[in-house]
Amino acid sequence: MPDFLANDFGAIARAMRRKTSASPKVVLHFRYLLTSLTSEYESVDAAIAEAFELWTDLRTDPEHITAADGTVLMGRDALIEAMTRYAEGMPGLSNALEC
């Protein structure tokens, strides 16, 4: 599967639908002080919500979201944009992906 660029939500949705597992996992990559950390989620929406919570508490610096296999789904700029949409109460990423 090819790497995705910034806001290609349609490609992200297609790739996630192609996955054979019942619930594709996504991984949020973030930094806490000098340590690089990861956390696994059931959906991109859940990862964005958690990234926003971690970011607003000034505890971490979200870096990107990948599929479980390491394919980058959202780079830093796209993640920041998604967190901004989340903060504004806009429809979740899942809603945008269904378009």
Side-chain angles (χ1 to χ4, degrees):
M1 189 164 35
D3 287 345
F4 298 106
L5 301 175
N7 298 330
D8 193 352
F9 297 131
I12 295 169
R14 287 189 299 277
M16 292 181 80
R17 284 188 202 113
R18 281 195 302 259
K19 290 294 225 182
T20 56
S21 64
S23 59
K25 306 280 185 188
V26 297
V27 181
L28 171 64
H29 298 259
F30 55 96
R31 296 191 69 74
Y32 178 73
L33 300 175
L34 298 176
T35 306
S36 192
L37 303 169
T38 61
S39 187
E40 191 174 273
Y41 298 90
E42 295 292 324
S43 70
V44 173
D45 279 337
I48 291 169
E50 183 66 17
F52 177 77
E53 294 301 320
L54 293 171
W55 189 45
T56 56
D57 289 343
L58 300 175
R59 292 183 287 170
T60 66
D61 184 19
E63 293 181 347
H64 57 278
I65 296 176
T66 65
D69 67 2
T71 302
V72 175
L73 299 175
M74 283 188 153
R76 181 168 170 67
D77 292 341
L79 180 54
I80 289 171
E81 181 180 331
M83 290 188 304
T84 301
R85 288 174 51 93
Y86 177 83
E88 294 171 349
M90 307 236 355
L93 180 59
S94 293
N95 294 338
L97 291 173
E98 292 171 3
C99 297

